[in-house]
């Protein structure tokens, strides 16, 4: 699975983003659904739960939104990359 890196802002705060881009198999099936769920579970176990109201809670450590993981700390993003790349 390819991981696209970018940056964004939430309430003016800088966040590092990672967008998992799954690969399609020869049958046209997307193999990333199970991986995506495992990624989310790993994020909760490692960094704690995401806010219940999504990205509308300011200054959270991480978010999952718009098919991306958003990290407040660059080191958390790096830890994610080490685990999933």
């Amino acid at each position: 699975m390819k991981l696209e890196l970018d940056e964004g802002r939430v309430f003016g705060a800088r966040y590092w983003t990672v967008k998992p881009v799954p690969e399609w198999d020869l049958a046209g099936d997307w193999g990333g659904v199970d991986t995506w769920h495992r990624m989310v579970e790993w994020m909760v176990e490692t960094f704690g739960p995401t806010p219940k109201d999504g990205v509308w809670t300011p200054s959270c450590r991480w978010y999952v939104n718009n098919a991306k993981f958003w990290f407040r700390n660059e080191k958390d993003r790096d830890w994610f990359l080490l685990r999933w790349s």
Side-chain angles (χ1 to χ4, degrees), residues 63-81:
Y63 304 102
V64 59
N65 186 276
N66 199 26
K68 297 178 187 179
F69 293 98
W70 296 68
F71 299 89
R72 182 69 181 107
N73 301 309
E74 189 175 19
K75 288 185 180 192
D76 288 350
R77 190 262 335 249
D78 294 346
W79 186 248
F80 179 89
L81 293 173

Side-chain angles (χ1 to χ4, degrees), residues 8-54:
R9 300 240 173 226
V10 178
F11 294 106
R14 182 181 185 183
Y15 278 78
W16 286 265
T17 66
V18 178
K19 180 179 182 177
V21 181
E23 297 176 5
W24 296 87
D25 66 19
L26 294 176
D29 294 327
W30 180 57
V33 174
D34 288 337
T35 302
W36 175 264
H37 291 297
R38 287 195 312 270
M39 286 176 166
V40 172
E41 288 174 359
W42 182 86
M43 292 287 292
V44 171
E45 290 172 9
T46 305
F47 304 122
T50 191
K52 295 188 185 331
D53 57 354

